[in-house]
Amino acid sequence: DHMAYRFTDLLPEDFSDSALRRDVLDGLVDRPKTLPPKWFYDKTGSELFEEITRLPEYYPTRSERAILQANAAGIVSGSGARHLIELGSGSSEKTRVLLDQRPGPGSVYTALDVSESALRQAAEALAVTYPDLVVQAVRADFEQHLATVLGDPLTGRGEGGRLVAFLGGTIGNLEPQERSVLLAGVRAGLDPGDAFLLGADLVKSPQVLLPAYDDAAGVTAAFNLNLLQVLNRRLGADFDASEFAHRAVWNSGQARIEMRLRASRRTSVRFADLDLAVEFGEGEEMRTEISSKFTAERLEEELGQAGFGPDGWWTDPEGRYSLSLWRP
Ligand code: AVJ
């Protein structure tokens, strides 16, 4: 049955257009210039990201998968969950490791993402593999719709047994302020008996971190520079990508990798659709992504601030990446 899942759309039709316009108008008039990383993921960008996850230098995806595979039974049975709710589910590929441990027929999986095509593809495939699983796909922005998604009637409050998962290290892409808002929002949506599973990359030597974001084959550079094509196509901009270079910088004070695009010469860029011109000075950098790295102490402090207590901690053998379980 090709309709074996429920689809709910919480986003306006023009959501991504209006959000992109706002982000460009806000971020490219600021100093330093910044853009949020969510705009990387057009078709080419999503393919380049998949390629990044297979690079020898890029460990987070492999580490997270290894932790999930080694500990899925303990995570799922320890959480007591019958309903898995995934924020930013993408292809839901690694989610299968958790779903394989579901307690029985009637278990529920709710996927939340901004991409309808990714949601439908993932939901359809999961409904085929797991005919006894109730699958829901919700097109929503986890920075806006947590209360709706974690409330009735979508995911049923108050019965306990819900596990909210936020995997892939995406928490690291949020600014500290956005992070605390998100964590507080998850906490507010959970009841006693529910749990929160978080995938977070850990602080380590810049000798490991920097190559992960500036690989020898140049895939991350292509991924970063592709953002300029996204802006050219979607907003009628006229970036000349050959005038910009990929940079990855370890900001030790804030414990984060910053990806930037550096203008090699003075240049002016027009955004036809926005009636906007943006000047870049020679050597000026636009920050396109932060990828924060955490310590166990830091996570415990931030999750504690949001009203969570620790209930489980797993890393890969090299201690590069963490999965952690939290209780409201
Ligand atoms: C999967 C979004 C967390 O920050 O490591 C990979 C994205 N950027 N290489 C990360 C990314 C550059 C990635 N996230």
Side-chain angles (χ1 to χ4, degrees):
D1 183 354
H2 67 285
M3 282 298 288
Y5 64 91
R6 175 159 84 150
F7 183 81
T8 304
D9 196 346
L10 298 179
L11 290 176
E13 201 53 61
D14 71 340
F15 164 74
S16 39
D17 285 330
S18 55
L20 174 60
R21 283 162 185 264
R22 199 173 44 242
D23 285 346
V24 166
L25 288 170
D26 290 348
L28 295 195
V29 297
D30 279 5
R31 277 183 170 277
K33 295 181 171 64
T34 62
L35 279 178
K38 61 179 156 204
W39 306 114
F40 282 134
Y41 300 91
D42 70 341
K43 185 162 184 297
T44 305
S46 300
E47 285 164 9
L48 286 167
F49 177 66
E50 286 305 313
E51 211 177 314
I52 287 174
T53 65
R54 294 189 294 266
L55 290 169
E57 296 98 328
Y58 191 77
Y59 59 87
T61 310
R62 269 190 302 278
S63 298
E64 186 178 68
R65 191 181 308 124
I67 302 168
L68 278 171
Q69 277 164 351
N71 303 287
I75 293 169
V76 175
S77 66
S79 75
R82 296 181 308 275
H83 186 161
L84 177 62
I85 301 163
E86 185 173 13
L87 310 180
S89 48
S91 70
S92 300
E93 251 334 298
K94 58 198 162 209
T95 320
R96 288 169 177 258
V97 183
L98 294 171
L99 292 174
D100 287 337
Q101 305 296 329
R102 71 199 177 286
S107 296
V108 185
Y109 172 63
T110 299
L112 189 149
D113 205 278
V114 289
S115 163
E116 174 166 355
S117 58
L119 280 166
R120 287 197 181 275
Q121 234 173 346
E124 200 125 353
L126 289 175
V128 169
T129 312
Y130 304 102
D132 65 293
L133 182 71
V134 177
V135 178
Q136 302 194 101
V138 185
R139 179 168 174 263
D141 177 358
F142 59 65
E143 296 196 68
Q144 261 184 71
H145 297 114
L146 272 181
T148 308
V149 171
L150 297 179
D152 291 316
L154 271 175
T155 59
R157 288 204 68 148
E159 299 148 36
R162 300 184 306 169
L163 176 62
V164 172
F166 190 34
L167 302 175
T170 310
I171 182 112
N173 291 158
L174 302 179
E175 300 277 352
Q177 171 65 15
E178 298 168 329
R179 204 156 70 215
S180 69
V181 169
L182 178 90
L183 293 174
V186 174
R187 170 63 191 82
L190 296 186
D191 308 299
D194 293 337
F196 179 47
L197 179 66
L198 181 64
D201 198 12
L202 300 176
V203 171
K204 63 187 63 64
S205 162
Q207 288 178 328
V208 176
L209 284 168
L210 284 170
Y213 291 85
D214 193 5
D215 61 281
V219 182
T220 308
F223 174 73
N224 196 6
L225 285 160
N226 179 59
L227 182 63
L228 302 179
Q229 309 303 339
V230 172
L231 298 174
N232 285 353
R233 192 185 63 250
R234 294 194 47 189
L235 296 175
D238 62 357
F239 279 101
D240 176 353
S242 72
E243 293 184 335
F244 289 83
H246 167 65
R247 296 241 301 140
V249 176
W250 171 241
N251 177 336
S252 62
Q254 307 208 63
R256 67 196 198 189
I257 289 283
E258 296 180 6
M259 294 215 308
R260 305 175 186 168
L261 288 169
R262 181 180 187 277
S264 55
R265 64 173 72 101
R266 201 188 137 81
T267 183
S268 174
V269 177
R270 255 188 57 74
F271 288 75
D273 299 4
L274 294 178
D275 205 10
L276 172 76
V278 176
E279 308 290 330
F280 287 82
E282 181 182 338
E284 186 177 349
E285 294 180 333
M286 163 166 74
R287 196 179 71 214
T288 53
E289 182 175 67
I290 64 169
S291 193
S292 298
K293 309 305 170 187
F294 300 89
T295 60
E297 296 69 35
R298 182 70 182 281
L299 285 171
E300 196 156 333
E301 186 186 311
E302 291 196 12
L303 276 285
Q305 284 287 333
F308 284 105
D311 196 33
W313 173 262
W314 300 269
T315 70
D316 52 316
E318 290 130 316
R320 290 183 166 180
Y321 189 95
S322 68
L323 279 187
S324 49
L325 191 68
W326 306 88
R327 295 286 185 176

